[in-house]
Amino acid sequence: MDEKSEQPARTHPGRTGRTPDTSRRSESSRKAILDASMRLVGEVGYNKLTIEAIAARAGVGKQTIYRWWPSKAAVLLDAFTGVVDEESYQQGIPDTGDLAADLKAVLRATVDEFNTPSFEAPYRALAAAGAADPSLSEQFVRRLMEPGRDVYVRRFEAAREAGQMAEDIDAAFATELLLGPFQARWLMRTEPLTYEFADTLVDYVLRGIAPR
Amino acid sequence: MDEKSEQPARTHPGRTGRTPDTSRRSESSRKAILDASMRLVGEVGYNKLTIEAIAARAGVGKQTIYRWWPSKAAVLLDAFTGVVDEESYQQGIPDTGDLAADLKAVLRATVDEFNTPSFEAPYRALAAAGAADPSLSEQFVRRLMEPGRDVYVRRFEAAREAGQMAEDIDAAFATELLLGPFQARWLMRTEPLTYEFADTLVDYVLRGIAPR
């Protein structure tokens, strides 16, 4: 991946005209900070996470962090934006013509992701903190949830054009019907996230939105 | 309501054989503590809530609280169990024969409830803390969410017996399809909770689970 595209544009240390060596060191510090913030928030939760602890884990001074980010929330949001697979977001959900199969494949992949502790723990810490804090949840939703949601919206729109979905249903609402029970089950830990759950969810949502 | 039925049985101060006056004072302290805990958690969040602050707000010594409850979580769970309308839980969702109308009526009432700050703020604080803390979420789900969920499960079971729902669908899963998008929208604040949302949700879920 192009190095510049990974940097927050306004704070890219390379833009100050330093030598390539300095820039490389900055980039490696930046990666260490983002990695440390993800691991730590999964370990101690959002409320107990501090810039000091991130700095210590990353092996940098805390001023290095404050030079690039205004808050721990900003660090974490960049860290998560870095791990999501932007290429897969751009490509969207495959359209094989079989809506159910396409949705099940991507929802099963999400089941795998949410059953992976190194992803799940920090994501949960951020979601739980967002539930309590409106300004954080606004950023969490806009930067992390919406890009993930939009790939479903586009797939539902394609399905409607293919006549596989009722004309009058909003693709964003169809997405909410599908992802809402998944998110609620995950956040409240009411039942485990399984392939069977993903498949059943897809089947019933598609019956609900089928053309009449 | 019978006074004893409101008390946690094992800690009811009246059971120690004190005079009626002492028992009445205890009951009024107990109510003050529960009220204070609800208001405070909505104001400061779960993490910053302390037994000391609840005691100060309730005008009791903190030993009074520790005599009856082992933790702030225990106080809050009792406080919430006290405000939910147990009688309406026992009666369940009205069965007029019109499943859609019955579900819309109760889901609209839930919209009203979640748009009431004195209920919403403490409930959100507890849900957010539960999302981060597995032992709290287990209690939160069992004591607060499941009784509310069970009234839907019973109504869906009645609908299935009346032939209004596919034979092979699990009533608990139908409930999850209905309440999941509501809970996710609420917790993540993605969109407002409105009557229109409640009605649309009911309509699409019922189409999904209709007999084939």
Side-chain angles (χ1 to χ4, degrees):
Chain A
M1 194 184 284
D2 175 59
E3 195 185 321
K4 272 189 185 154
S5 71
E6 278 191 281
Q7 309 264 354
R10 282 168 302 183
T11 54
H12 183 201
R15 293 177 70 207
T16 57
R18 297 180 203 175
T19 66
D21 264 11
T22 311
S23 180
R24 212 161 17 241
R25 269 204 306 280
S26 293
E27 179 56 19
S28 101
S29 295
R30 194 180 159 275
K31 283 194 168 135
I33 291 162
L34 295 179
D35 287 351
S37 74
M38 287 272 280
R39 286 198 309 274
L40 273 170
V41 77
E43 289 167 24
V44 303
Y46 183 79
N47 290 297
K48 290 185 185 155
L49 183 70
T50 62
I51 294 285
E52 286 75 5
I54 298 171
R57 179 74 66 99
V60 303
K62 69 179 183 175
Q63 285 315 313
T64 304
I65 300 181
Y66 282 122
R67 203 186 317 146
W68 296 329
W69 292 278
S71 64
K72 67 181 180 183
V75 180
L76 278 173
L77 288 163
D78 275 356
F80 273 93
T81 311
V83 296
V84 296
D85 185 347
E86 290 192 24
E87 206 175 328
S88 77
Y89 277 171
Q90 273 156 24
Q91 290 175 348
I93 296 175
D95 186 350
T96 66
D98 182 342
L99 179 60
D102 293 349
L103 293 175
K104 285 175 187 176
V106 69
L107 208 55
R108 281 176 170 224
T110 309
V111 165
D112 288 341
E113 204 171 42
F114 279 77
N115 284 321
T116 303
S118 62
F119 174 87
E120 197 269 353
Y123 200 72
R124 173 182 294 282
L126 205 53
D133 175 346
S135 69
L136 182 63
S137 84
E138 193 275 331
Q139 296 179 72
F140 178 78
V141 167
R142 187 169 44 80
R143 291 196 47 191
L144 297 177
M145 286 182 68
E146 285 184 359
R149 191 202 62 172
D150 288 350
V151 298
Y152 286 92
V153 174
R154 295 203 303 275
R155 184 65 188 84
F156 278 121
E157 283 168 350
R160 190 173 45 207
E161 285 181 25
Q164 297 165 335
M165 186 169 125
E167 283 291 334
D168 60 342
I169 191 170
D170 183 43
F173 185 72
T175 304
E176 200 170 354
L177 286 174
L178 185 67
L179 299 186
F182 189 103
Q183 290 161 350
R185 185 182 271 222
W186 170 60
L187 271 174
M188 294 292 107
R189 302 185 184 80
T190 41
E191 301 279 341
L193 298 173
T194 62
Y195 286 174
E196 190 198 353
F197 172 63
D199 291 354
T200 311
L201 194 51
V202 169
D203 288 335
Y204 282 101
V205 168
L206 292 194
R207 282 175 56 182
I209 65 174
R212 267 150 289 191
Chain B
M1 194 184 283
D2 175 60
E3 197 185 321
K4 272 188 183 152
S5 72
E6 277 191 279
Q7 310 263 357
R10 280 167 303 183
T11 55
H12 184 201
R15 291 177 70 209
T16 57
R18 295 180 205 175
T19 66
D21 263 13
T22 312
S23 180
R24 210 157 23 238
R25 270 204 305 281
S26 293
E27 179 56 19
S28 104
S29 294
R30 192 179 160 276
K31 283 193 168 135
I33 292 163
L34 295 178
D35 287 352
S37 73
M38 287 273 280
R39 287 198 310 272
L40 273 170
V41 76
E43 289 166 25
V44 304
Y46 182 80
N47 290 297
K48 289 183 184 155
L49 182 70
T50 61
I51 293 285
E52 285 76 4
I54 298 171
R57 179 73 67 98
V60 303
K62 69 178 184 177
Q63 285 315 316
T64 304
I65 300 183
Y66 282 123
R67 204 186 316 147
W68 294 329
W69 293 280
S71 65
K72 66 181 179 184
V75 180
L76 279 172
L77 288 163
D78 275 355
F80 273 94
T81 310
V83 297
V84 298
D85 184 347
E86 290 193 23
E87 206 175 328
S88 78
Y89 277 172
Q90 274 157 22
Q91 289 175 349
I93 296 174
D95 186 349
T96 66
D98 183 342
L99 179 61
D102 294 348
L103 293 175
K104 284 174 188 176
V106 69
L107 208 53
R108 281 175 170 224
T110 309
V111 165
D112 289 340
E113 202 172 42
F114 280 77
N115 285 321
T116 302
S118 62
F119 173 88
E120 198 268 354
Y123 200 72
R124 173 181 294 282
L126 205 53
D133 173 348
S135 69
L136 182 63
S137 84
E138 192 274 330
Q139 296 180 72
F140 178 79
V141 167
R142 186 168 45 80
R143 292 197 45 192
L144 297 176
M145 287 182 67
E146 284 184 359
R149 191 201 64 172
D150 289 349
V151 298
Y152 286 92
V153 174
R154 294 202 305 271
R155 184 65 188 82
F156 278 122
E157 283 169 350
R160 190 174 46 207
E161 284 181 26
Q164 296 165 335
M165 187 170 124
E167 282 292 333
D168 61 343
I169 190 172
D170 183 43
F173 185 72
T175 304
E176 199 170 355
L177 287 174
L178 185 66
L179 299 186
F182 189 104
Q183 290 161 351
R185 185 182 270 221
W186 170 60
L187 271 174
M188 295 291 107
R189 300 185 186 80
T190 42
E191 301 279 342
L193 298 173
T194 63
Y195 286 175
E196 191 198 352
F197 172 63
D199 291 354
T200 310
L201 195 50
V202 169
D203 288 335
Y204 283 101
V205 169
L206 293 193
R207 282 176 55 182
I209 65 173
R212 269 150 288 192

